[in-house]
Amino acid sequence: MSTTQHRIGIVGARGHTGAELIRLVASHPALELVFVSSRELDGQRVADNVPGFEGELRYASLDPEAVAAQGADVVVLALPNGKAAPYVEAIDKAKPDTLIVDLSADYRFDERWYYGLPELTRQRWRGEKRISNPGCYATAVQLSIAPLKDLLAAPPVSFGVSGYSGAGTTPSDRNDPEKLRDNLMPYSLTGHMHEKEASRHLGVPVEFMPHVAPHFRGLTVTTNLYLARPVKREDIVNRFHGAYDGEKLVHVQDEAPWVSQIAHKHHVDIGGFAVSSDGKRVVVVATLDNLLKGAATQAMQNINRAIGVDEYTAIPV
């Protein structure tokens, strides 16, 4: 096992995901956090903003050239969609062998970037130093459908409900607790980014309808799948166990999982497996913490594999 220290920096560290990443890096034996970039928190101590982090490291407001000049071995981009390219270009020029993990959607459709959903794409990694981290909903949707992909009679339909941490820290209706109280907010009901992403990487069209709920973290995806032939529930459950029983971060259970039980956990729960009386329709329910397996934990899996340590290093399994 490699015990080399790898210097890591995080860009966009103010967000909810940035804080989770900082916590994971802090407990990692092979990673040293050397910079955290945030315009809003410039000059503040990380320890004062991230409970559990110790040390004197301070946030800095770094432009793309300044990030590249840090010379880190690993850079995580935790920025809103559409903001990654200048940082990638600057790092490409200054230190092209830097490992870049991008948490936005910007490179999820780029063939030159490895799409890192380890449970489904682990075998496709060829040592790429450019890794696109999957979307939170797209992770749950794909894991719900993949074991049944060869049986589909129609595009699966996924109904998603997420806590408002998924709407980020920039104020909007979708992360305003007052407007969300006793409410459910539908949005992007066709053509959502994660619909396109899941469809592309599964290789089958998926229809997805997201909603924001009043809870803070965790998402639920309920997926309806029409099957080309009748299938027994037991055979469906066996397919999911066959696909995921070797996976530390995917737990297959009999009952439909509850989102209240997944907050602060690093894995995905998948269950339900309700089958219609004719055996040609099944409903699968998946839950995950959108800030962890939907973002920071998955990024850590990808970083660990790329730096040559055990995939689950620093991830509480």
Side-chain angles (χ1 to χ4, degrees):
M1 276 295 172
S2 154
T3 49
T4 317
Q5 282 295 108
H6 299 265
R7 301 168 74 253
I8 184 171
I10 300 169
V11 181
R14 174 180 80 117
H16 303 307
T17 298
E20 295 296 346
L21 262 171
I22 289 167
R23 274 191 272 272
L24 287 171
V25 170
S27 65
H28 198 296
L31 292 174
E32 179 198 355
L33 189 58
V34 292
F35 74 84
V36 280
S37 177
S38 166
R39 277 199 319 265
E40 294 83 357
L41 299 177
D42 187 17
Q44 297 184 31
R45 287 174 75 240
V46 176
D48 294 338
N49 288 275
V50 180
F53 183 84
E54 291 170 5
E56 290 307 310
L57 187 67
R58 291 177 183 269
Y59 295 94
S61 181
L62 304 174
D63 67 11
E65 283 64 36
V67 165
Q70 300 285 318
D73 304 305
V74 183
V75 175
V76 180
L77 302 177
L79 295 161
N81 292 342
K83 305 275 193 212
Y87 293 90
V88 174
E89 284 162 21
I91 293 166
D92 278 344
K93 277 195 199 123
K95 195 183 174 202
D97 66 338
T98 305
L99 172 67
I100 304 177
V101 179
D102 179 42
L103 270 53
S104 79
D106 293 6
Y107 296 97
R108 292 179 195 154
F109 302 87
D110 188 325
E111 289 296 329
R112 296 164 299 179
W113 285 59
Y114 167 70
Y115 180 76
L117 205 175
E119 291 77 11
L120 298 180
T121 68
R122 201 179 275 124
Q123 306 314 318
R124 293 182 215 155
W125 185 63
R126 298 287 177 269
E128 292 93 339
K129 293 288 189 89
R130 301 287 175 268
I131 298 177
S132 178
N133 214 55
C136 51
Y137 271 131
T139 296
V141 168
Q142 290 176 79
L143 291 170
S144 298
I145 295 168
L148 300 175
K149 211 165 77 164
D150 60 314
L151 292 176
L152 298 175
V157 178
S158 296
F159 182 96
V161 180
S162 173
Y164 65 87
S165 59
T169 48
T170 304
S172 74
D173 284 357
R174 297 209 302 269
N175 58 20
D176 180 339
E178 276 307 303
K179 289 183 175 153
L180 283 163
R181 183 177 299 164
D182 301 325
N183 194 10
L184 194 62
M185 245 178 235
Y187 69 101
S188 301
L189 295 172
T190 62
H192 185 284
M193 182 66 77
H194 293 194
E195 175 178 281
K196 296 173 188 166
E197 177 185 341
S199 300
R200 177 187 173 101
H201 292 286
L202 276 173
V204 297
V206 174
E207 295 164 1
F208 171 59
M209 300 162 295
H211 303 68
V212 185
H215 64 278
F216 180 66
R217 61 195 297 157
L219 62 78
T220 304
V221 169
T222 300
T223 301
N224 184 75
L225 305 107
Y226 288 110
L227 309 178
R229 59 178 172 81
V231 183
K232 293 192 182 76
R233 183 179 192 270
E234 170 192 7
D235 295 337
I236 287 165
V237 172
N238 285 341
R239 275 180 174 243
F240 278 83
H241 280 295
Y244 301 132
D245 276 1
E247 295 294 346
K248 293 183 181 178
L249 298 183
V250 182
H251 298 179
V252 176
Q253 59 183 59
D254 200 58
E255 298 292 311
W258 288 3
V259 73
S260 59
Q261 293 170 352
I262 203 72
H264 303 285
K265 304 273 183 19
H266 294 268
H267 67 274
V268 182
D269 279 332
I270 302 182
F273 310 116
V275 178
S276 62
S277 56
D278 67 358
K280 293 179 79 171
R281 174 185 169 222
V282 59
V283 180
V284 177
V285 181
T287 58
L288 58 75
D289 186 318
N290 51 294
L291 303 179
L292 294 175
K293 182 57 177 158
T297 304
Q298 192 137 269
M300 190 55 74
Q301 285 177 271
N302 285 317
I303 291 166
N304 283 335
R305 295 184 64 237
I307 65 172
V309 300
D310 182 86
E311 183 177 315
Y312 305 103
T313 304
I315 298 169
V317 173

